[in-house]
Amino acid sequence: QVQLVESGGGLVQAGGSLRLSCAASGRTSSNYAMGWFRQAPGKEREFVSAMRLNGASTVYADSVKGRFAISRDNAKNTIYLQMNNLKPEDTAVYFCAAGLVFSITSGYPYWGQGTQVTVSS
């Protein structure tokens, strides 16, 4: 079992920045892949970014390339999502996910509860 807890969401103006954190506990492994997804009201869950904890492999959705950056601190079992130049269309609940297989789909076995990000116009 792995537990994931997101934090760092909030309300910001367009052009502002936030850093999301996802702390993992339980049977974690440095071999895990972890990622970020988001879901806006009335929309399907959308891939944002993912990475391998035992390497530097990363991938980003086209909508966030150049604005968001994923990083990790393996000693703390934590990943981060630095979100810069935020746009109103970034408004969503952001979810952290983890598993042994690197994926850009929603097929991760472990998920956090989500943290709300709201970007005002």
Side-chain angles (χ1 to χ4, degrees):
Q1 290 284 342
V2 174
Q3 295 78 45
L4 305 174
V5 179
E6 304 97 332
S7 62
L11 173 64
V12 298
Q13 294 182 327
S17 299
L18 286 172
R19 189 179 73 161
L20 306 183
S21 299
C22 175
S25 61
R27 296 185 177 91
T28 58
S29 171
S30 62
N31 294 322
Y32 271 37
M34 296 185 69
W36 291 95
F37 294 76
R38 65 188 183 185
Q39 188 167 22
K43 305 294 184 181
E44 294 187 0
R45 187 172 296 176
E46 175 188 22
F47 170 77
V48 177
S49 182
M51 70 183 305
R52 297 185 185 274
L53 300 186
N54 65 347
S57 298
T58 61
V59 64
Y60 295 92
D62 289 342
S63 60
V64 305
K65 286 181 179 178
R67 299 189 298 119
F68 291 8
I70 190 170
S71 61
R72 86 281 192 186
D73 185 337
N74 287 354
K76 296 181 178 180
N77 291 322
T78 299
I79 64 165
Y80 306 92
L81 185 68
Q82 180 65 48
M83 309 165 66
N84 298 323
N85 192 24
L86 283 161
K87 304 175 180 179
E89 50 263 44
D90 295 318
T91 295
V93 177
Y94 284 70
F95 297 90
C96 178
L100 289 172
V101 179
F102 185 92
S103 177
I104 62 171
T105 72
S106 61
Y108 286 89
Y110 305 109
W111 293 84
Q113 83 288 351
T115 185
Q116 177 71 47
V117 172
T118 303
V119 185
S120 62
S121 301

